[in-house]
Amino acid sequence: MVNVPLADPFILLHDGTYYAYGTKAENGIAVFESDDLQTWRKASGRAAEGLALHKDDVYGDRWFWAPEVYCIDGAFYMFFSAQSHICVAVSDSPLGPFVQKERKPMIEGEKCIDNTLFIDDDGRKYMYFDRFNDGLNIWVCELENDLLRIKPGTMQKCIHVSQEWETVWPRVNEGCFVIKHNGIYYMTYSANSYESPNYGVGCATADSPAGPWTKYDHNPLLQFPGDLVGVGHSAMFKDKTGRLRIVFHAHNSKEKIHPRNMFISNVMFRYRDGAYMMEIDKNYMVPQMAK
């Protein structure tokens, strides 16, 4: 059996099927399918070259990274990075083709990556992303209802490199994902270079989607689990039973970075010191490609 070769992975559960997207293809975004999270098959995406998203349909011609797909009101929105710019494309199927009517990034004058969507209980839509200032740090903005445009004047900083474990090399807080649990907002994020064995996942919390965000003193929550190195760029999802899971990538081996592979673990909340604390199970699942 072969591991699933996806970096920056994201999993969508739709109509009883799991769809995994990630950084892999040179000309766009690949998609994989599974019925049980354990065994995966390469899906036949509906864009060119069998991809879910192809460069002919969107902005950019290279560096298609960190896709996330959300089904909202019957449409599928893919948030992704292309040529170091954040974009969003739309499809009527999780298999694509994902297309931009206007082939341009969401922020035209600035390089940004790793955009992720969070919709609060009141319907307000937030996008978190990485900006290249003082290394990589995480910002948030509100989106218009069409999910394609940023609301003017809503952009603000969330977190930056501030803990000792994050300073191995270089200055990076990236690849965040936000959920809400019992009224508290939890942000997972990755620190250190994705090329470093010390890449890992931390957590910060807030009382509002805009922050202020406070990092856990006991970060990182996930670093060097088992035999894995270079662990990070995670996203969370609920499986068919309603259990909260986290999907992340790790280096191919301790000696070789690429191709990075996809792994899955469980997320728990334990009440201690007057608050629900997020934990990530160090015992992870190793998804495999079907024969």
Side-chain angles (χ1 to χ4, degrees), residues 134-138 158-174 187-194 196 198-204 214-221 223:
D134 186 26
L136 270 178
N137 44 67
I138 296 170
C158 295
I159 59 173
H160 60 276
V161 172
S162 59
Q163 295 184 324
E164 185 64 29
W165 75 275
E166 304 171 347
T167 61
V168 176
W169 178 83
R171 292 184 59 78
V172 169
N173 277 181
E174 66 179 7
M187 174 190 289
T188 53
Y189 67 95
S190 296
N192 297 313
S193 170
Y194 78 90
S196 169
N198 294 281
Y199 203 45
V201 178
C203 182
T214 302
K215 293 180 179 180
Y216 281 170
D217 291 335
H218 58 282
N219 278 335
L221 296 192
Q223 191 182 46

mmCIF file of all heavy atoms in Angstrom, residues 134-138 158-174 187-194 196 198-204 214-221 223:
data_model
loop_
_atom_site.group_PDB
_atom_site.id
_atom_site.type_symbol
_atom_site.label_atom_id
_atom_site.label_comp_id
_atom_site.label_asym_id
_atom_site.label_seq_id
_atom_site.Cartn_x
_atom_site.Cartn_y
_atom_site.Cartn_z
ATOM 1 N N ASP A 134 7.124 40.853 8.130
ATOM 2 C CA ASP A 134 7.815 40.309 9.302
ATOM 3 C C ASP A 134 7.729 38.784 9.285
ATOM 4 O O ASP A 134 7.232 38.167 10.211
ATOM 5 C CB ASP A 134 7.223 40.874 10.595
ATOM 6 C CG ASP A 134 8.007 40.433 11.820
ATOM 7 O OD1 ASP A 134 9.211 40.150 11.676
ATOM 8 O OD2 ASP A 134 7.412 40.355 12.912
ATOM 9 N N GLY A 135 8.205 38.193 8.200
ATOM 10 C CA GLY A 135 8.002 36.769 7.994
ATOM 11 C C GLY A 135 6.574 36.537 7.521
ATOM 12 O O GLY A 135 5.971 37.389 6.880
ATOM 13 N N LEU A 136 6.025 35.387 7.851
ATOM 14 C CA LEU A 136 4.621 35.094 7.547
ATOM 15 C C LEU A 136 3.823 35.203 8.831
ATOM 16 O O LEU A 136 4.182 34.601 9.852
ATOM 17 C CB LEU A 136 4.484 33.678 6.988
ATOM 18 C CG LEU A 136 4.580 33.493 5.478
ATOM 19 C CD1 LEU A 136 4.458 32.012 5.136
ATOM 20 C CD2 LEU A 136 3.501 34.281 4.760
ATOM 21 N N ASN A 137 2.736 35.963 8.798
ATOM 22 C CA ASN A 137 1.846 36.032 9.953
ATOM 23 C C ASN A 137 0.402 36.005 9.489
ATOM 24 O O ASN A 137 0.106 36.187 8.304
ATOM 25 C CB ASN A 137 2.142 37.251 10.821
ATOM 26 C CG ASN A 137 2.355 38.505 10.012
ATOM 27 O OD1 ASN A 137 1.430 38.992 9.382
ATOM 28 N ND2 ASN A 137 3.575 39.047 10.017
ATOM 29 N N ILE A 138 -0.503 35.746 10.405
ATOM 30 C CA ILE A 138 -1.898 35.448 10.066
ATOM 31 C C ILE A 138 -2.792 36.660 10.319
ATOM 32 O O ILE A 138 -2.748 37.259 11.392
ATOM 33 C CB ILE A 138 -2.384 34.223 10.863
ATOM 34 C CG1 ILE A 138 -1.560 32.986 10.445
ATOM 35 C CG2 ILE A 138 -3.869 33.976 10.634
ATOM 36 C CD1 ILE A 138 -1.768 31.773 11.308
ATOM 37 N N CYS A 158 -3.873 38.867 13.355
ATOM 38 C CA CYS A 158 -4.252 37.907 14.387
ATOM 39 C C CYS A 158 -3.058 37.471 15.229
ATOM 40 O O CYS A 158 -2.998 37.751 16.422
ATOM 41 C CB CYS A 158 -4.901 36.679 13.755
ATOM 42 S SG CYS A 158 -6.463 36.983 12.934
ATOM 43 N N ILE A 159 -2.113 36.753 14.618
ATOM 44 C CA ILE A 159 -0.957 36.249 15.366
ATOM 45 C C ILE A 159 0.298 36.338 14.520
ATOM 46 O O ILE A 159 0.248 36.409 13.293
ATOM 47 C CB ILE A 159 -1.156 34.787 15.832
ATOM 48 C CG1 ILE A 159 -1.380 33.850 14.636
ATOM 49 C CG2 ILE A 159 -2.284 34.684 16.843
ATOM 50 C CD1 ILE A 159 -1.402 32.376 15.011
ATOM 51 N N HIS A 160 1.444 36.319 15.200
ATOM 52 C CA HIS A 160 2.751 36.310 14.553
ATOM 53 C C HIS A 160 3.680 35.444 15.400
ATOM 54 O O HIS A 160 3.290 34.967 16.473
ATOM 55 C CB HIS A 160 3.306 37.731 14.438
ATOM 56 C CG HIS A 160 3.482 38.411 15.753
ATOM 57 N ND1 HIS A 160 2.453 39.070 16.386
ATOM 58 C CD2 HIS A 160 4.554 38.507 16.588
ATOM 59 C CE1 HIS A 160 2.887 39.557 17.539
ATOM 60 N NE2 HIS A 160 4.151 39.224 17.685
ATOM 61 N N VAL A 161 4.896 35.219 14.932
ATOM 62 C CA VAL A 161 5.857 34.401 15.679
ATOM 63 C C VAL A 161 6.119 35.040 17.036
ATOM 64 O O VAL A 161 6.535 36.200 17.118
ATOM 65 C CB VAL A 161 7.167 34.249 14.884
ATOM 66 C CG1 VAL A 161 8.237 33.570 15.740
ATOM 67 C CG2 VAL A 161 6.926 33.447 13.620
ATOM 68 N N SER A 162 5.862 34.279 18.109
ATOM 69 C CA SER A 162 5.976 34.860 19.446
ATOM 70 C C SER A 162 6.368 33.849 20.515
ATOM 71 O O SER A 162 6.529 34.214 21.681
ATOM 72 C CB SER A 162 4.640 35.515 19.852
ATOM 73 O OG SER A 162 3.601 34.558 19.841
ATOM 74 N N GLN A 163 6.508 32.578 20.153
ATOM 75 C CA GLN A 163 6.878 31.557 21.120
ATOM 76 C C GLN A 163 8.185 30.895 20.706
ATOM 77 O O GLN A 163 8.493 30.791 19.515
ATOM 78 C CB GLN A 163 5.758 30.510 21.242
ATOM 79 C CG GLN A 163 4.468 31.085 21.814
ATOM 80 C CD GLN A 163 3.398 30.021 22.033
ATOM 81 O OE1 GLN A 163 3.266 29.083 21.263
ATOM 82 N NE2 GLN A 163 2.611 30.196 23.088
ATOM 83 N N GLU A 164 8.936 30.420 21.688
ATOM 84 C CA GLU A 164 10.275 29.904 21.430
ATOM 85 C C GLU A 164 10.273 28.744 20.431
ATOM 86 O O GLU A 164 11.147 28.658 19.566
ATOM 87 C CB GLU A 164 10.919 29.465 22.753
ATOM 88 C CG GLU A 164 12.358 29.012 22.628
ATOM 89 C CD GLU A 164 13.299 30.128 22.170
ATOM 90 O OE1 GLU A 164 13.019 31.307 22.458
ATOM 91 O OE2 GLU A 164 14.315 29.794 21.519
ATOM 92 N N TRP A 165 9.292 27.855 20.513
ATOM 93 C CA TRP A 165 9.282 26.690 19.630
ATOM 94 C C TRP A 165 9.093 27.073 18.166
ATOM 95 O O TRP A 165 9.424 26.292 17.278
ATOM 96 C CB TRP A 165 8.188 25.710 20.056
ATOM 97 C CG TRP A 165 6.778 26.135 19.695
ATOM 98 C CD1 TRP A 165 5.979 26.960 20.410
ATOM 99 C CD2 TRP A 165 6.043 25.742 18.529
ATOM 100 N NE1 TRP A 165 4.769 27.118 19.773
ATOM 101 C CE2 TRP A 165 4.786 26.376 18.615
ATOM 102 C CE3 TRP A 165 6.308 24.930 17.434
ATOM 103 C CZ2 TRP A 165 3.794 26.223 17.642
ATOM 104 C CZ3 TRP A 165 5.318 24.770 16.460
ATOM 105 C CH2 TRP A 165 4.079 25.411 16.565
ATOM 106 N N GLU A 166 8.599 28.292 17.919
ATOM 107 C CA GLU A 166 8.316 28.753 16.561
ATOM 108 C C GLU A 166 9.536 29.375 15.871
ATOM 109 O O GLU A 166 9.438 29.771 14.711
ATOM 110 C CB GLU A 166 7.200 29.806 16.589
ATOM 111 C CG GLU A 166 5.924 29.344 17.257
ATOM 112 C CD GLU A 166 4.929 30.479 17.466
ATOM 113 O OE1 GLU A 166 5.325 31.657 17.321
ATOM 114 O OE2 GLU A 166 3.768 30.188 17.779
ATOM 115 N N THR A 167 10.646 29.482 16.547
ATOM 116 C CA THR A 167 11.762 30.294 16.049
ATOM 117 C C THR A 167 12.921 29.472 15.491
ATOM 118 O O THR A 167 14.027 29.985 15.359
ATOM 119 C CB THR A 167 12.292 31.212 17.163
ATOM 120 O OG1 THR A 167 12.779 30.409 18.251
ATOM 121 C CG2 THR A 167 11.205 32.128 17.682
ATOM 122 N N VAL A 168 12.681 28.200 15.159
ATOM 123 C CA VAL A 168 13.765 27.379 14.624
ATOM 124 C C VAL A 168 14.244 27.969 13.310
ATOM 125 O O VAL A 168 15.412 28.254 13.113
ATOM 126 C CB VAL A 168 13.303 25.914 14.453
ATOM 127 C CG1 VAL A 168 14.409 25.080 13.801
ATOM 128 C CG2 VAL A 168 12.927 25.324 15.806
ATOM 129 N N TRP A 169 13.312 28.160 12.347
ATOM 130 C CA TRP A 169 13.598 28.799 11.063
ATOM 131 C C TRP A 169 12.439 28.527 10.126
ATOM 132 O O TRP A 169 11.960 27.399 10.056
ATOM 133 C CB TRP A 169 14.879 28.250 10.431
ATOM 134 C CG TRP A 169 15.162 28.866 9.091
ATOM 135 C CD1 TRP A 169 15.772 30.047 8.847
ATOM 136 C CD2 TRP A 169 14.813 28.338 7.801
ATOM 137 N NE1 TRP A 169 15.836 30.297 7.486
ATOM 138 C CE2 TRP A 169 15.254 29.256 6.822
ATOM 139 C CE3 TRP A 169 14.163 27.177 7.367
ATOM 140 C CZ2 TRP A 169 15.071 29.057 5.465
ATOM 141 C CZ3 TRP A 169 13.980 26.976 6.012
ATOM 142 C CH2 TRP A 169 14.437 27.914 5.075
ATOM 143 N N PRO A 170 11.994 29.521 9.369
ATOM 144 C CA PRO A 170 12.208 30.968 9.543
ATOM 145 C C PRO A 170 11.091 31.536 10.408
ATOM 146 O O PRO A 170 10.533 30.793 11.217
ATOM 147 C CB PRO A 170 12.111 31.467 8.090
ATOM 148 C CG PRO A 170 11.082 30.553 7.479
ATOM 149 C CD PRO A 170 11.219 29.210 8.165
ATOM 150 N N ARG A 171 10.744 32.835 10.215
ATOM 151 C CA ARG A 171 9.669 33.437 11.008
ATOM 152 C C ARG A 171 8.336 33.144 10.327
ATOM 153 O O ARG A 171 7.927 33.833 9.399
ATOM 154 C CB ARG A 171 9.872 34.943 11.160
ATOM 155 C CG ARG A 171 11.082 35.308 12.011
ATOM 156 C CD ARG A 171 11.187 36.807 12.225
ATOM 157 N NE ARG A 171 10.018 37.362 12.888
ATOM 158 C CZ ARG A 171 9.774 37.284 14.197
ATOM 159 N NH1 ARG A 171 10.636 36.654 14.994
ATOM 160 N NH2 ARG A 171 8.703 37.843 14.725
ATOM 161 N N VAL A 172 7.650 32.089 10.798
ATOM 162 C CA VAL A 172 6.441 31.622 10.120
ATOM 163 C C VAL A 172 5.344 31.286 11.123
ATOM 164 O O VAL A 172 5.544 30.474 12.019
ATOM 165 C CB VAL A 172 6.738 30.366 9.264
ATOM 166 C CG1 VAL A 172 5.448 29.727 8.773
ATOM 167 C CG2 VAL A 172 7.624 30.715 8.088
ATOM 168 N N ASN A 173 4.174 31.912 10.956
ATOM 169 C CA ASN A 173 2.896 31.422 11.457
ATOM 170 C C ASN A 173 2.003 31.337 10.224
ATOM 171 O O ASN A 173 1.758 32.360 9.566
ATOM 172 C CB ASN A 173 2.268 32.363 12.481
ATOM 173 C CG ASN A 173 2.791 32.193 13.895
ATOM 174 O OD1 ASN A 173 2.346 32.877 14.822
ATOM 175 N ND2 ASN A 173 3.759 31.310 14.091
ATOM 176 N N GLU A 174 1.526 30.141 9.880
ATOM 177 C CA GLU A 174 0.822 29.967 8.611
ATOM 178 C C GLU A 174 -0.196 28.842 8.711
ATOM 179 O O GLU A 174 -0.301 28.153 9.730
ATOM 180 C CB GLU A 174 1.818 29.666 7.494
ATOM 181 C CG GLU A 174 2.528 28.327 7.652
ATOM 182 C CD GLU A 174 3.509 28.027 6.527
ATOM 183 O OE1 GLU A 174 3.753 28.915 5.688
ATOM 184 O OE2 GLU A 174 4.025 26.897 6.493
ATOM 185 N N MET A 187 -8.063 28.527 16.962
ATOM 186 C CA MET A 187 -7.282 28.628 15.734
ATOM 187 C C MET A 187 -6.071 27.698 15.823
ATOM 188 O O MET A 187 -5.202 27.882 16.671
ATOM 189 C CB MET A 187 -6.787 30.058 15.515
ATOM 190 C CG MET A 187 -5.841 30.190 14.306
ATOM 191 S SD MET A 187 -5.022 31.800 14.205
ATOM 192 C CE MET A 187 -6.388 32.854 13.732
ATOM 193 N N THR A 188 -6.034 26.682 14.958
ATOM 194 C CA THR A 188 -4.802 25.931 14.800
ATOM 195 C C THR A 188 -3.955 26.619 13.732
ATOM 196 O O THR A 188 -4.482 27.237 12.811
ATOM 197 C CB THR A 188 -5.074 24.480 14.387
ATOM 198 O OG1 THR A 188 -5.908 24.452 13.230
ATOM 199 C CG2 THR A 188 -5.748 23.707 15.517
ATOM 200 N N TYR A 189 -2.656 26.518 13.868
ATOM 201 C CA TYR A 189 -1.737 27.140 12.915
ATOM 202 C C TYR A 189 -0.429 26.351 12.920
ATOM 203 O O TYR A 189 -0.181 25.540 13.821
ATOM 204 C CB TYR A 189 -1.476 28.614 13.283
ATOM 205 C CG TYR A 189 -0.710 28.779 14.574
ATOM 206 C CD1 TYR A 189 0.676 28.937 14.586
ATOM 207 C CD2 TYR A 189 -1.366 28.742 15.809
ATOM 208 C CE1 TYR A 189 1.380 29.061 15.773
ATOM 209 C CE2 TYR A 189 -0.668 28.864 17.001
ATOM 210 C CZ TYR A 189 0.698 29.020 16.983
ATOM 211 O OH TYR A 189 1.403 29.129 18.160
ATOM 212 N N SER A 190 0.388 26.581 11.903
ATOM 213 C CA SER A 190 1.676 25.898 11.818
ATOM 214 C C SER A 190 2.812 26.909 11.928
ATOM 215 O O SER A 190 2.680 28.053 11.503
ATOM 216 C CB SER A 190 1.795 25.122 10.508
ATOM 217 O OG SER A 190 0.818 24.091 10.463
ATOM 218 N N ALA A 191 3.929 26.445 12.467
ATOM 219 C CA ALA A 191 5.092 27.317 12.654
ATOM 220 C C ALA A 191 6.366 26.582 12.250
ATOM 221 O O ALA A 191 6.426 25.353 12.255
ATOM 222 C CB ALA A 191 5.190 27.781 14.107
ATOM 223 N N ASN A 192 7.380 27.381 11.928
ATOM 224 C CA ASN A 192 8.655 26.948 11.353
ATOM 225 C C ASN A 192 8.440 26.629 9.867
ATOM 226 O O ASN A 192 7.327 26.500 9.396
ATOM 227 C CB ASN A 192 9.263 25.759 12.095
ATOM 228 C CG ASN A 192 9.596 26.090 13.531
ATOM 229 O OD1 ASN A 192 10.201 27.125 13.806
ATOM 230 N ND2 ASN A 192 9.185 25.231 14.459
ATOM 231 N N SER A 193 9.502 26.501 9.125
ATOM 232 C CA SER A 193 9.391 26.203 7.695
ATOM 233 C C SER A 193 8.795 24.820 7.472
ATOM 234 O O SER A 193 9.111 23.868 8.205
ATOM 235 C CB SER A 193 10.765 26.261 7.044
ATOM 236 O OG SER A 193 10.725 25.757 5.731
ATOM 237 N N TYR A 194 7.981 24.691 6.421
ATOM 238 C CA TYR A 194 7.449 23.372 6.062
ATOM 239 C C TYR A 194 8.593 22.419 5.694
ATOM 240 O O TYR A 194 8.420 21.195 5.748
ATOM 241 C CB TYR A 194 6.468 23.491 4.897
ATOM 242 C CG TYR A 194 7.122 23.659 3.539
ATOM 243 C CD1 TYR A 194 7.449 22.545 2.762
ATOM 244 C CD2 TYR A 194 7.435 24.917 3.036
ATOM 245 C CE1 TYR A 194 8.068 22.687 1.523
ATOM 246 C CE2 TYR A 194 8.053 25.071 1.809
ATOM 247 C CZ TYR A 194 8.360 23.953 1.054
ATOM 248 O OH TYR A 194 8.970 24.099 -0.163
ATOM 249 N N SER A 196 11.304 22.158 7.409
ATOM 250 C CA SER A 196 11.999 21.794 8.640
ATOM 251 C C SER A 196 11.348 20.588 9.312
ATOM 252 O O SER A 196 10.112 20.497 9.359
ATOM 253 C CB SER A 196 11.988 22.974 9.615
ATOM 254 O OG SER A 196 12.430 22.566 10.901
ATOM 255 N N ASN A 198 11.071 20.394 12.275
ATOM 256 C CA ASN A 198 10.443 21.008 13.450
ATOM 257 C C ASN A 198 9.109 21.694 13.143
ATOM 258 O O ASN A 198 8.537 22.337 14.017
ATOM 259 C CB ASN A 198 11.389 22.035 14.061
ATOM 260 C CG ASN A 198 12.642 21.398 14.627
ATOM 261 O OD1 ASN A 198 12.642 20.841 15.709
ATOM 262 N ND2 ASN A 198 13.719 21.463 13.864
ATOM 263 N N TYR A 199 8.648 21.607 11.909
ATOM 264 C CA TYR A 199 7.311 22.104 11.583
ATOM 265 C C TYR A 199 6.319 21.477 12.565
ATOM 266 O O TYR A 199 6.410 20.283 12.883
ATOM 267 C CB TYR A 199 6.980 21.681 10.166
ATOM 268 C CG TYR A 199 5.938 22.500 9.425
ATOM 269 C CD1 TYR A 199 5.948 23.888 9.435
ATOM 270 C CD2 TYR A 199 4.952 21.869 8.668
ATOM 271 C CE1 TYR A 199 5.018 24.625 8.726
ATOM 272 C CE2 TYR A 199 4.016 22.592 7.939
ATOM 273 C CZ TYR A 199 4.053 23.967 7.976
ATOM 274 O OH TYR A 199 3.130 24.690 7.261
ATOM 275 N N GLY A 200 5.382 22.267 13.075
ATOM 276 C CA GLY A 200 4.433 21.752 14.053
ATOM 277 C C GLY A 200 3.179 22.589 14.107
ATOM 278 O O GLY A 200 3.081 23.642 13.484
ATOM 279 N N VAL A 201 2.197 22.116 14.879
ATOM 280 C CA VAL A 201 0.876 22.751 14.965
ATOM 281 C C VAL A 201 0.657 23.297 16.370
ATOM 282 O O VAL A 201 0.798 22.570 17.359
ATOM 283 C CB VAL A 201 -0.241 21.749 14.621
ATOM 284 C CG1 VAL A 201 -1.621 22.406 14.764
ATOM 285 C CG2 VAL A 201 -0.056 21.205 13.216
ATOM 286 N N GLY A 202 0.323 24.582 16.446
ATOM 287 C CA GLY A 202 -0.040 25.214 17.705
ATOM 288 C C GLY A 202 -1.499 25.611 17.705
ATOM 289 O O GLY A 202 -2.220 25.423 16.720
ATOM 290 N N CYS A 203 -1.947 26.176 18.817
ATOM 291 C CA CYS A 203 -3.340 26.605 18.949
ATOM 292 C C CYS A 203 -3.402 27.946 19.671
ATOM 293 O O CYS A 203 -2.625 28.212 20.589
ATOM 294 C CB CYS A 203 -4.150 25.566 19.727
ATOM 295 S SG CYS A 203 -5.918 25.969 19.893
ATOM 296 N N ALA A 204 -4.337 28.792 19.223
ATOM 297 C CA ALA A 204 -4.649 30.052 19.894
ATOM 298 C C ALA A 204 -6.159 30.142 20.042
ATOM 299 O O ALA A 204 -6.908 29.546 19.256
ATOM 300 C CB ALA A 204 -4.113 31.241 19.094
ATOM 301 N N THR A 214 -5.016 34.481 21.863
ATOM 302 C CA THR A 214 -4.023 34.109 22.876
ATOM 303 C C THR A 214 -3.537 32.694 22.605
ATOM 304 O O THR A 214 -4.330 31.751 22.577
ATOM 305 C CB THR A 214 -4.631 34.181 24.285
ATOM 306 O OG1 THR A 214 -5.119 35.504 24.524
ATOM 307 C CG2 THR A 214 -3.572 33.828 25.329
ATOM 308 N N LYS A 215 -2.244 32.537 22.422
ATOM 309 C CA LYS A 215 -1.681 31.220 22.151
ATOM 310 C C LYS A 215 -1.586 30.401 23.435
ATOM 311 O O LYS A 215 -1.334 30.937 24.516
ATOM 312 C CB LYS A 215 -0.293 31.356 21.517
ATOM 313 C CG LYS A 215 -0.294 31.968 20.132
ATOM 314 C CD LYS A 215 1.120 32.053 19.578
ATOM 315 C CE LYS A 215 1.140 32.649 18.190
ATOM 316 N NZ LYS A 215 2.519 32.748 17.641
ATOM 317 N N TYR A 216 -1.746 29.095 23.289
ATOM 318 C CA TYR A 216 -1.535 28.194 24.414
ATOM 319 C C TYR A 216 -0.082 28.264 24.883
ATOM 320 O O TYR A 216 0.849 28.249 24.063
ATOM 321 C CB TYR A 216 -1.829 26.754 24.016
ATOM 322 C CG TYR A 216 -3.294 26.371 23.961
ATOM 323 C CD1 TYR A 216 -3.676 25.154 23.412
ATOM 324 C CD2 TYR A 216 -4.299 27.201 24.463
ATOM 325 C CE1 TYR A 216 -5.001 24.764 23.366
ATOM 326 C CE2 TYR A 216 -5.618 26.832 24.428
ATOM 327 C CZ TYR A 216 -5.969 25.610 23.873
ATOM 328 O OH TYR A 216 -7.290 25.230 23.830
ATOM 329 N N ASP A 217 0.083 28.316 26.199
ATOM 330 C CA ASP A 217 1.440 28.284 26.753
ATOM 331 C C ASP A 217 2.129 26.943 26.496
ATOM 332 O O ASP A 217 3.362 26.873 26.458
ATOM 333 C CB ASP A 217 1.403 28.543 28.266
ATOM 334 C CG ASP A 217 1.001 29.973 28.593
ATOM 335 O OD1 ASP A 217 1.211 30.854 27.736
ATOM 336 O OD2 ASP A 217 0.471 30.191 29.697
ATOM 337 N N HIS A 218 1.316 25.873 26.338
ATOM 338 C CA HIS A 218 1.888 24.535 26.189
ATOM 339 C C HIS A 218 2.008 24.110 24.721
ATOM 340 O O HIS A 218 2.191 22.923 24.429
ATOM 341 C CB HIS A 218 1.062 23.512 26.971
ATOM 342 C CG HIS A 218 -0.379 23.446 26.562
ATOM 343 N ND1 HIS A 218 -1.313 24.367 26.966
ATOM 344 C CD2 HIS A 218 -1.038 22.563 25.757
ATOM 345 C CE1 HIS A 218 -2.494 24.052 26.459
ATOM 346 N NE2 HIS A 218 -2.347 22.964 25.713
ATOM 347 N N ASN A 219 1.920 25.059 23.787
ATOM 348 C CA ASN A 219 2.175 24.738 22.384
ATOM 349 C C ASN A 219 3.569 24.128 22.210
ATOM 350 O O ASN A 219 4.464 24.427 23.004
ATOM 351 C CB ASN A 219 2.087 26.022 21.530
ATOM 352 C CG ASN A 219 0.666 26.381 21.162
ATOM 353 O OD1 ASN A 219 -0.209 25.526 21.119
ATOM 354 N ND2 ASN A 219 0.427 27.652 20.880
ATOM 355 N N PRO A 220 3.792 23.312 21.172
ATOM 356 C CA PRO A 220 2.862 22.907 20.116
ATOM 357 C C PRO A 220 1.971 21.742 20.553
ATOM 358 O O PRO A 220 2.348 20.952 21.418
ATOM 359 C CB PRO A 220 3.791 22.472 18.979
ATOM 360 C CG PRO A 220 5.000 21.952 19.688
ATOM 361 C CD PRO A 220 5.166 22.831 20.895
ATOM 362 N N LEU A 221 0.808 21.633 19.911
ATOM 363 C CA LEU A 221 -0.090 20.514 20.193
ATOM 364 C C LEU A 221 0.292 19.276 19.396
ATOM 365 O O LEU A 221 -0.032 18.156 19.797
ATOM 366 C CB LEU A 221 -1.542 20.890 19.843
ATOM 367 C CG LEU A 221 -2.190 22.023 20.635
ATOM 368 C CD1 LEU A 221 -3.686 22.051 20.367
ATOM 369 C CD2 LEU A 221 -1.912 21.919 22.117
ATOM 370 N N GLN A 223 3.672 17.833 17.163
ATOM 371 C CA GLN A 223 5.029 17.953 16.633
ATOM 372 C C GLN A 223 5.761 16.647 16.933
ATOM 373 O O GLN A 223 5.741 16.181 18.072
ATOM 374 C CB GLN A 223 5.768 19.135 17.267
ATOM 375 C CG GLN A 223 7.085 19.484 16.595
ATOM 376 C CD GLN A 223 7.787 20.635 17.302
ATOM 377 O OE1 GLN A 223 7.886 20.653 18.538
ATOM 378 N NE2 GLN A 223 8.299 21.597 16.542
#
